[in-house]
Amino acid sequence: AVVSTQSTGKSLMDNKAGGSTNPMVLKRLKSSDVCPFCNKFYIQIRRHLKEVHLRIKPYSCDLCGKSFSRAQKRDIHYNSYCIKKMKRLNAELVQKPNEKR
């Protein structure tokens, strides 16, 4: 049975992520997996609500303080941005002669 969403009249089949016809994916479809804010289907509805609509960001970078919704996103930021920035700053300090104040 295809459950339609209230505001658009589209079925969950139209709104589901990826457009899969895999029976295992279709079996997991529930009307409770439709976001009440954007009216789209999400397999991980709790994650979607926290990240997109509630904007809960419990993970922050120790160096710059930027906040992230997932630890993985924070780790990617740290390894790609903050580490490079630290290396660049260290290189600049090494290259400059010691100045007396």
Side-chain angles (χ1 to χ4, degrees), residues 16-17 20-30 41 43:
K16 68 184 175 33
S20 173
T21 56
N22 182 336
M24 295 304 289
V25 172
L26 297 178
K27 189 176 183 179
R28 294 188 304 197
L29 289 177
K30 300 176 198 168
F41 174 81
I43 291 174

Side-chain angles (χ1 to χ4, degrees), residues 25-43:
V25 172
L26 297 178
K27 189 176 183 179
R28 294 188 304 197
L29 289 177
K30 300 176 198 168
S31 61
S32 62
D33 293 339
V34 175
C35 175
F37 297 100
C38 61
N39 211 32
K40 293 180 182 176
F41 174 81
Y42 292 94
I43 291 174

Side-chain angles (χ1 to χ4, degrees), residues 75-88:
D75 296 341
I76 291 169
H77 159 81
Y78 181 83
N79 291 327
S80 64
Y81 175 74
C82 286
I83 294 295
K84 288 179 184 176
K85 186 175 181 178
M86 283 180 47
K87 286 179 182 178
R88 189 172 56 244

Side-chain angles (χ1 to χ4, degrees), residues 39-97:
N39 211 32
K40 293 180 182 176
F41 174 81
Y42 292 94
I43 291 174
Q44 296 178 336
I45 188 71
R46 287 189 185 114
R47 177 192 281 181
H48 166 74
L49 289 171
K50 287 179 182 178
E51 290 181 5
V52 177
H53 300 296
L54 301 177
R55 297 193 177 164
I56 296 173
K57 299 180 177 184
Y59 306 100
S60 61
C61 177
D62 294 334
L63 292 175
C64 70
K66 186 173 179 178
S67 297
F68 298 91
S69 57
R70 295 188 224 170
Q72 180 185 15
K73 289 182 178 184
R74 181 210 44 213
D75 296 341
I76 291 169
H77 159 81
Y78 181 83
N79 291 327
S80 64
Y81 175 74
C82 286
I83 294 295
K84 288 179 184 176
K85 186 175 181 178
M86 283 180 47
K87 286 179 182 178
R88 189 172 56 244
L89 290 174
N90 285 337
E92 288 175 9
L93 290 173
V94 169
Q95 289 176 355
K96 289 183 181 179

